[in-house]
Amino acid sequence: MTLKKGFLALMMVCLLPLTGCWNYREMNELAIAIAMGVDKVQGRDEYNISFQVVNARDIAGIKATGRIPVNVYSGKGKTLLEAVRKTSQKVPRRINTQHMRVFVIGEALARKGIEEVFELMERDPEPRLTTRVFIARNSDAATILKTVTAVEAIPANAILGKLKITGRVLAESYETEMDDVIRGLMIKGGGPVISGIKLVGKGEAGEKISNVEQTEPPTDLYTSGMALFKKGKLVGWVKGDKARGVSWINNKMKSTIVNLDCETKKDAISIDIIRSNSKIKSEVKGEQPLIRIHIKEIGILGEALCPVDVGKSAEIRKLEQQWNEETERNVMAAVQTAQKLKTDVLGFGAAVERANPKAWKKMEKEWDRIFATCRVEVKVESTIRRTGMVSKPYLYEEKK
Amino acid sequence: MEKAKISPGQLFILILLFDMGTAILRVMAMSAGKDAWLAILLGTAGGLAIFWIYVSLYRLYPELPLTGYIRAILGKGLGWPLGLLYILFFIHGGARDLREGGDLLISSVMEQTPIIVVNAVMVLSIVYVLNKGIEVVARTAQIFIMTIAILGFLSIFLLLFAGVIDISRLLPVMGNGLGPVIQTTLKQTIEFPHEEVICFAMLLPYLNNREKGIRAGFAAVLTSGLLLSFSTALNIAVLGIDIAGRSTFPLLSTIRLINIGEIIQRLDVFVVLTLIVGDFFKVAIFFYAAVLAAADLFRIKDYRQLVLPIGIIILFVSMMISSSFIEQIEEGDVLLVTVFLWFGVLIPIFLLAAAGVRKWFGSRP
């Protein structure tokens, strides 16, 4: 009985201190950092961290004040955590990175090496590994974060939206999450692939709200190509066909437009890819591995600017054949670029390891050298399924 | 001993929750690299063998708990001190798991809460449920297994739809040959978590249906082995061996990668719930085994008198056991092949042998 009474008393006492969380942080005490940028401080071995902090009141529907939706705060430090804490001198609230969606790395830092940057992101429980990573092309990360954007009030959402849509319809860049980057950094003789974001126009003008008071903002942010890394260092950029090739090989191809020639005109027929799937296999014979890339893709005829009778399946066969060649050309362009840079960003090493773990053990150490000279075979199977709302283009009737 | 009965189904659930309790959260068998799941699978075979030892002893002495038949086999002079050591073993085991659960909870979600607060809340709730008796523990387990099962299925489903599972990260299977797998199996996965099932040697006399209960026990050990293997494979397939191997809490890192259309995300609570429920039952079973052993050795009629004192001892031992989480993990690896191996496997084998010899001589005219 006494135990029961004692228990009851204990529970009552517990009610007093246990009414809330131990280290609770109310919403109105937080500064939500939606994006974060890292740069190298010039001439010193320090990091400069920038946070894009959302002004919740200024984006809140009807009550929106029309003032600037975000502010950017920076801090410097030898380690990232020190730099983060140094920003507290400037920010009136506690910075919270749980909702961070975008992580930008300045190109100067990327060329020096990004290995150190992700250690904090993996260790700290606040940031998430699903945060998308960008490289600020030709500029520093802070400038990117400071630019005000149109349509999406919060610049981080604007950048992310552009990347997502580009990845889905053009495939010249694709989303890379922090965990992808970390895995990329661990690749032997290779590195991660990270999409670029480019500042267009004059940097300083973009920091004011007046930037978006025009139909065409004088300063804007565009997605631009992809950065190829070797270990942690940026060694080169790819864009256009080569970037598409990288997407194809890494199985990130969702959709893009492939232009094919017709008899009378170059690049006159557009194929719209709907689905694509690629597999990388490897065979090891002696010292040299052979890499086989197998791509299966399905598409529709998107546009035909010359008199071609696509109502005939024989014509479609011809187009498919052309499309195979075009895909192969893109893929080989990407392979050659990576081989020239001697960095395995295409997952060939993993394919060799899967095929022959014993041979891989021997090659592992000098994989970047072997990778640069290994033979690659591409096999493409493409199918044009439909021709849209019409069969023959009206240009075909005109020409008759 | 209290006058209670548990059904085979309840035993199954208790062993399942006990086995997976802390094991599903932590990195297991990482020395086998990508083949960790294979090592766990092989370890399960060892786990079944270990459980067979406990079952054989139980068949010989179906009415007695572990501490009871130790005295019956070795005699009072040797059996009583050994029983005393088992009390310490159970308290220590409970304290280790309590500490581990608390540390994981703090390092992942409750950064600034002192560990004694987290552990005290856990111990108090276990003290409460143990006061109600083993039947209540078993029924609580029946309720919580449903929660865990739903969360588990939902997580797998969402991971699939989030498209983060990449089976090629598990390939090649046995890239380094069978050597590391066997080594890890012998050093780690046979022992953990299977040798801790010795706690159930204290609980088996409560079974209301002996043969079905034994079968349920084997099934539980097998199921938990399969689930552990599966979850480890899943962690590696989602995170890759490097991130999974470094992570203190890989299951949480895995679940955090779920992001479906920027809407279904931040499902950390799934894992935190699993952690709390699993840890609760793991500590509760160790705790209960310690209480029963003490009541048996010191001839205390109502075991309830011992619950709060032993709870407080477990709480303080959990605080003193190591100065940091790193030390806790380091010690754990050593203890696994020393203390836990002795108490969980070697002593029971010796007991079984001694009981066999006794019976052989006894049956002779």
Side-chain angles (χ1 to χ4, degrees):
Chain A
M1 226 30 221
T2 45
L3 192 67
K4 258 191 187 168
K5 270 183 197 160
F7 236 66
L8 202 66
L10 197 66
M11 281 181 188
M12 298 287 249
V13 173
C14 281
L15 284 178
L16 292 174
L18 295 179
T19 47
C21 301
W22 191 275
N23 50 328
Y24 71 100
R25 287 162 197 165
E26 295 288 344
M27 278 295 281
N28 56 12
E29 290 166 8
L30 291 181
I32 307 283
I34 194 96
M36 182 173 167
V38 189
D39 291 302
K40 199 99 196 164
V41 178
Q42 251 189 345
R44 266 189 298 172
D45 193 21
E46 280 187 7
Y47 290 105
N48 182 24
I49 289 234
S50 317
F51 288 108
Q52 193 176 76
V53 172
V54 181
N55 295 327
R57 197 183 306 146
D58 300 320
I59 51 166
I62 305 168
K63 287 184 185 165
T65 55
R67 281 184 303 181
I68 203 142
V70 292
N71 287 106
V72 175
Y73 296 101
S74 307
K76 290 188 181 73
K78 288 262 182 203
T79 63
L80 266 75
L81 196 55
E82 187 194 357
V84 171
R85 292 294 161 89
K86 283 269 162 80
T87 54
S88 68
Q89 295 171 322
K90 303 169 189 170
V91 194
R93 295 176 177 184
R94 191 190 174 99
I95 284 193
N96 180 300
T97 54
Q98 276 175 337
H99 294 268
M100 180 165 74
R101 304 179 81 187
V102 166
F103 186 84
V104 188
I105 300 171
E107 177 159 352
L109 173 59
R111 290 207 180 267
K112 276 200 161 165
I114 59 167
E115 298 100 326
E116 294 173 356
V117 173
F118 292 94
E119 155 68 20
L120 177 67
M121 303 299 142
E122 206 185 28
R123 192 177 296 280
D124 198 278
E126 259 190 29
R128 278 165 193 269
L129 290 181
T130 46
T131 310
R132 271 43 145 247
V133 186
F134 293 81
I135 303 293
R137 194 165 189 177
N138 299 329
S139 72
D140 52 357
T143 321
I144 298 283
L145 294 190
K146 284 176 192 162
T147 307
V148 182
T149 53
V151 184
E152 283 278 7
I154 297 172
N157 288 349
I159 303 175
L160 192 57
K162 286 170 195 181
L163 177 65
K164 276 190 169 178
I165 301 304
T166 324
R168 235 159 260 177
V169 305
L170 192 67
E172 283 179 21
S173 47
Y174 55 78
E175 291 172 61
T176 317
E177 294 178 358
M178 276 186 185
D179 60 310
D180 296 320
V181 178
I182 295 170
R183 271 192 296 270
L185 290 172
M186 308 302 291
I187 296 174
K188 299 237 164 58
V193 181
I194 307 176
S195 295
I197 186 89
K198 191 161 83 178
L199 185 83
V200 182
K202 288 187 193 108
E204 306 237 321
E207 295 175 21
K208 290 185 189 134
I209 193 96
S210 60
N211 186 43
V212 290
E213 283 168 351
Q214 300 177 38
T215 50
E216 191 184 8
T219 310
D220 207 348
L221 302 172
Y222 295 163
T223 59
S224 169
M226 288 192 277
L228 306 185
F229 283 76
K230 180 166 184 181
K231 298 257 172 77
K233 291 187 174 62
L234 196 163
V235 287
W237 288 91
V238 284
K239 59 176 192 176
D241 289 355
K242 285 177 192 164
R244 275 205 312 214
V246 173
S247 295
W248 252 308
I249 298 170
N250 285 339
N251 202 12
K252 300 277 185 180
M253 173 60 73
K254 296 212 171 91
S255 174
T256 188
I257 297 300
V258 181
N259 286 343
L260 307 177
D261 303 339
C262 74
E263 281 163 19
T264 50
K265 201 176 166 199
K266 269 186 84 90
D267 291 335
I269 296 169
S270 280
I271 304 289
D272 183 358
I273 298 185
I274 320 176
R275 265 186 290 284
S276 168
N277 184 27
S278 35
K279 284 202 179 87
I280 306 177
K281 292 222 168 95
S282 167
E283 251 175 58
V284 186
K285 277 180 194 155
E287 177 79 344
Q288 280 294 324
L290 168 69
I291 306 290
R292 284 211 175 95
I293 303 171
H294 190 184
I295 299 171
K296 274 187 189 164
E297 48 189 0
I298 295 172
I300 55 175
L301 188 79
E303 199 175 343
L305 300 182
C306 64
V308 55
D309 186 4
V310 291
K312 288 208 178 76
S313 66
E315 278 299 323
I316 297 289
R317 288 278 127 64
K318 262 193 235 160
L319 288 177
E320 282 172 354
Q321 196 50 44
Q322 266 194 61
W323 183 18
N324 284 347
E325 283 156 20
E326 183 66 16
T327 307
E328 194 181 330
R329 197 182 61 75
N330 282 198
V331 168
M332 282 317 286
V335 170
Q336 276 154 12
T337 311
Q339 285 187 331
K340 213 159 73 192
L341 297 171
K342 290 193 178 165
T343 175
D344 179 15
V345 289
L346 308 171
F348 290 178
V352 174
E353 191 186 359
R354 280 199 295 273
N356 193 338
K358 270 190 195 142
W360 171 246
K361 275 264 170 298
K362 282 181 212 145
M363 287 187 250
E364 198 169 42
K365 278 195 185 126
E366 32 189 351
W367 176 244
D368 50 350
R369 187 182 58 77
I370 300 171
F371 168 79
T373 54
C374 72
R375 270 195 311 135
V376 180
E377 272 176 18
V378 187
K379 191 181 163 207
V380 189
E381 282 175 58
S382 51
T383 320
I384 296 173
R385 278 279 154 83
R386 278 169 285 275
T387 58
M389 307 288 276
V390 288
S391 57
K392 287 177 251 182
Y394 59 77
L395 297 167
Y396 185 80
E397 308 292 332
E398 255 175 29
K399 281 278 159 71
K400 269 195 191 165
Chain B
M1 295 292 286
E2 56 172 318
K3 283 204 168 33
K5 284 283 169 235
I6 52 174
S7 71
Q10 284 172 329
L11 183 76
F12 177 85
I13 292 167
L14 281 175
I15 296 184
L16 197 64
L17 281 173
F18 179 83
D19 260 1
M20 298 204 305
T22 50
I24 203 159
L25 309 164
R26 284 282 322 286
V27 217
M28 274 187 71
M30 277 305 154
S31 46
K34 287 172 184 172
D35 301 322
W37 59 276
L38 202 62
I40 296 172
L41 220 52
L42 290 179
T44 308
L48 289 171
I50 292 172
F51 192 68
W52 177 82
I53 301 169
Y54 307 151
V55 164
S56 312
L57 282 166
Y58 168 60
R59 283 215 169 103
L60 289 173
Y61 302 93
E63 302 300 327
L64 291 176
L66 175 67
T67 45
Y69 57 67
I70 288 182
R71 276 174 295 164
I73 293 170
L74 301 178
K76 236 175 181 182
L78 208 57
W80 201 86
L82 191 58
L84 194 67
L85 285 180
Y86 262 104
I87 302 179
L88 299 182
F89 169 74
F90 290 141
I91 288 179
H92 171 252
R96 285 197 71 77
D97 284 323
L98 184 64
R99 174 64 181 269
E100 207 163 301
D103 262 328
L104 281 180
L105 200 61
I106 288 170
S107 56
S108 57
V109 279
M110 298 176 161
E111 288 160 65
Q112 281 172 6
T113 317
I115 187 154
I116 189 150
V117 176
V118 176
N119 285 1
V121 171
M122 182 62 101
V123 163
L124 277 179
S125 43
I126 296 172
V127 164
Y128 175 75
V129 78
L130 290 189
N131 256 301
K132 296 283 170 200
I134 186 68
E135 286 186 358
V136 174
V137 177
R139 284 201 293 269
T140 318
Q142 277 178 311
I143 294 173
F144 277 112
I145 193 88
M146 292 307 292
T147 329
I148 301 292
I150 292 171
L151 290 182
F153 277 118
L154 209 58
S155 307
I156 294 165
F157 190 69
L158 291 174
L159 279 170
L160 270 175
F161 273 80
V164 288
I165 300 177
D166 183 355
I167 300 294
S168 72
R169 290 189 189 125
L170 284 168
L171 301 173
V173 177
M174 290 200 284
N176 295 323
L178 201 59
V181 179
I182 299 286
Q183 226 169 13
T184 314
T185 308
L186 291 177
K187 272 195 190 149
Q188 206 183 10
T189 55
I190 289 184
E191 287 92 350
F192 184 73
H194 304 295
E195 60 190 12
E196 293 179 348
V197 180
I198 185 74
C199 297
F200 283 89
M202 297 298 299
L203 263 64
L204 288 175
Y206 286 135
L207 273 175
N208 62 7
N209 183 333
R210 202 176 300 164
E211 283 313 308
K212 268 194 180 166
I214 287 170
R215 254 178 281 151
F218 278 117
V221 173
L222 186 65
T223 315
S224 64
L226 293 177
L227 287 174
L228 284 177
S229 171
F230 178 72
S231 85
T232 305
L234 200 63
N235 283 338
I236 297 174
V238 171
L239 297 170
I241 184 69
D242 288 308
I243 300 182
R246 271 197 304 276
S247 178
T248 20
F249 200 166
L251 193 64
L252 185 66
S253 310
T254 302
I255 294 294
R256 281 169 77 132
L257 285 191
I258 294 179
N259 180 5
I260 303 176
E262 310 279 332
I263 294 170
I264 301 174
Q265 51 176 340
R266 293 163 213 279
L267 300 170
D268 306 25
V269 66
F270 281 24
V271 183
V272 174
L273 257 177
T274 313
L275 160 66
I276 293 172
V277 171
D279 199 42
F280 177 89
F281 284 101
K282 187 124 194 184
V283 179
I285 299 289
F286 265 116
F287 190 167
Y288 190 65
V291 169
L292 280 187
D296 185 39
L297 287 182
F298 298 106
R299 292 166 196 274
I300 289 165
K301 285 229 172 78
D302 188 2
Y303 79 96
R304 286 184 177 81
Q305 292 171 332
L306 290 170
V307 173
L308 195 60
I310 290 186
I312 289 168
I313 294 172
I314 287 185
L315 178 60
F316 283 100
V317 171
S318 82
M319 297 303 300
M320 296 185 301
I321 210 162
S322 46
S323 63
S324 65
F325 191 51
I326 306 107
E327 213 176 286
Q328 157 98 2
I329 300 298
E330 245 175 39
E331 283 170 6
D333 287 341
V334 177
L335 290 175
L336 199 61
V337 287
T338 52
V339 175
F340 281 84
L341 189 64
W342 273 98
F343 282 89
V345 185
L346 299 178
I347 294 177
I349 288 179
F350 172 68
L351 285 175
L352 189 59
V357 170
R358 246 196 133 102
K359 211 176 170 189
W360 193 57
F361 281 111
S363 66
R364 289 224 285 196

